[in-house]
Amino acid sequence: MHLRSPSIDHGVQSFIWAVVFFLFLWFGMRAVGVAPAASFMLALVLGVLIFLFIRIFGEDELARTRARRQRRLP
């Protein structure tokens, strides 16, 4: 039996990365003394940008090349 990790949709993975970075940025800014409202808003904006960046550019390249290669084979 071959055990594999469960397949998670790319959008869910992007959202998880964005939440982790949001919390990291928010707590980090609070730790260095940035105002609460400013740190929350800045971390929120950066979290959304991180989500979009990972959603657009973070897809695995191997899956695309494998699919193309399989289509070309007779």
Side-chain angles (χ1 to χ4, degrees), residues 10-26 29 41-59:
H10 187 64
V12 174
Q13 290 178 358
S14 303
F15 180 74
I16 292 170
W17 275 106
V19 168
V20 168
F21 278 117
F22 163 77
L23 292 172
F24 180 77
L25 290 167
W26 186 42
M29 284 188 273
M41 292 305 295
L42 186 58
L44 186 65
V45 169
L46 291 173
V48 169
L49 291 175
I50 288 168
F51 171 77
L52 291 174
F53 181 80
I54 295 173
R55 180 75 175 125
I56 294 169
F57 297 110
E59 191 171 355

Side-chain angles (χ1 to χ4, degrees), residues 29-40:
M29 284 188 273
R30 293 295 301 137
V32 297
V34 178
S39 65
F40 181 79

